[in-house]
Amino acid sequence: GDWSADVATVDFMPQLNEVLNRFGFPDDEIPEILSRFGLIAPLQPGEGVRETIRHLLEIPEFIDLVRGRASEPREELEHYLAEHGFFSAKRVALVDVGWYGTIQDLLERCFADRRDMPEVEGVYLALKRSHTGVSPERKRGLVHDFRRPVPELETLTFFRESFEFSSRALHGTTTGYRRENGRSVPQFRVDARERKMHAGIREIQRGVLDCARDYLALQEVDPVEPH
């Protein structure tokens, strides 16, 4: 439905193949998928992609394909979370930069049938809004929260990519999990595009640290209120 289409295409201008990759279809299978269901890939990213995904999510055969491919990765994710004590806790904090709490929504939907599913509290740098999701009341933005907007803090949401990049981990994007010596370990993307992006991200992070040092030095000369 609309919720799934929104989550798959949220807040950026994705190409159709990028969204279908997330559903478990590699690039070389996408032409056959589109042909099977009588679709043509949109020439432009954005709304055309969302409408194509919305259409696919109304086709039972496509849903069956997605569910078939999701079962094994979902099992590995469940195993990974169990190893780290996720299901043995009463309450769990999910701490992230923001901006919608989508991962929180998806975890709650994915494992809602488990009797030991903990209550998940989302703690975010900034919360722009919440999807019509599972538990928006259990999400809070520390610096900015859309339910209590303050104009000068709402500007954080205009620079989402900067915050995403500057707070990124020192490894590639997590693409899934695999068993290794009986344990579930994350798999990271290591292609050329990821390596090039990571070099740029390190430069951004160095700039953030330089800016912080300059700010502290300025405070020694002419103190100003932090806001």
Side-chain angles (χ1 to χ4, degrees):
D2 285 331
W3 191 89
S4 296
D6 285 344
V7 168
T9 59
V10 65
D11 201 47
F12 56 111
M13 301 287 280
Q15 300 287 345
L16 181 63
N17 69 303
E18 293 174 332
V19 181
L20 290 175
N21 290 162
R22 299 186 190 108
F23 281 118
F25 302 103
D27 286 344
D28 59 356
E29 293 184 21
I30 290 174
E32 191 274 331
I33 290 290
L34 296 178
S35 175
R36 182 190 306 189
F37 298 114
L39 296 173
I40 299 174
L43 295 177
Q44 299 295 327
E47 188 62 23
V49 171
R50 187 196 178 284
E51 290 308 309
T52 300
I53 293 299
R54 182 69 177 81
H55 179 73
L56 284 169
L57 291 172
E58 293 175 343
I59 302 174
E61 186 183 351
F62 178 77
I63 295 294
D64 289 341
L65 287 172
V66 173
R67 284 179 173 156
R69 298 193 179 212
S71 58
E72 185 177 340
R74 184 174 297 193
E75 183 180 322
E76 288 299 331
L77 171 60
E78 190 170 12
H79 194 267
Y80 176 83
L81 292 172
E83 283 183 357
H84 288 78
F86 183 83
F87 298 110
S88 60
K90 296 292 185 185
R91 296 174 68 211
V92 172
L94 177 62
V95 182
D96 202 355
V97 178
W99 306 89
Y100 303 96
T102 304
I103 293 175
Q104 180 180 351
D105 288 342
L106 293 174
L107 284 173
E108 293 188 6
R109 283 183 172 228
C110 197
F111 303 119
D113 293 338
R114 286 189 62 130
R115 303 178 82 176
D116 57 353
M117 176 66 183
E119 184 176 287
V120 181
E121 293 280 348
V123 183
Y124 304 100
L125 171 73
L127 196 60
K128 184 179 180 185
R129 65 178 171 87
S130 178
H131 299 292
T132 309
V134 181
S135 57
E137 72 280 359
R138 292 208 299 270
K139 299 175 183 175
R140 57 193 169 106
L142 298 180
V143 178
H144 166 69
D145 192 305
F146 71 98
R147 291 159 295 197
R148 297 177 297 280
V150 180
E152 61 268 26
L153 296 179
E154 197 166 1
T155 57
L156 281 174
T157 65
F158 303 153
F159 302 99
R160 292 187 295 278
E161 291 81 2
S162 297
F163 284 104
E164 290 283 351
F165 290 147
S166 62
S167 60
R168 214 171 133 158
L170 298 176
H171 54 68
T173 302
T174 304
T175 59
Y177 301 87
R178 71 175 188 278
R179 299 288 174 93
E180 192 173 279
N181 299 321
R183 294 180 60 82
S184 288
V185 296
Q187 294 177 283
F188 303 121
R189 185 180 296 150
V190 292
D191 57 36
R193 179 184 176 190
E194 185 83 13
R195 288 194 296 271
K196 182 178 180 181
M197 185 183 297
H198 193 59
I201 288 166
R202 285 201 301 272
E203 188 65 27
I204 289 171
Q205 291 173 337
R206 281 193 288 269
V208 170
L209 292 173
D210 286 344
C211 179
R213 294 187 187 100
D214 288 344
Y215 175 79
L216 293 173
L218 179 63
Q219 288 288 72
E220 292 293 323
V221 177
D222 185 17
V224 295
E225 289 297 316
H227 72 268

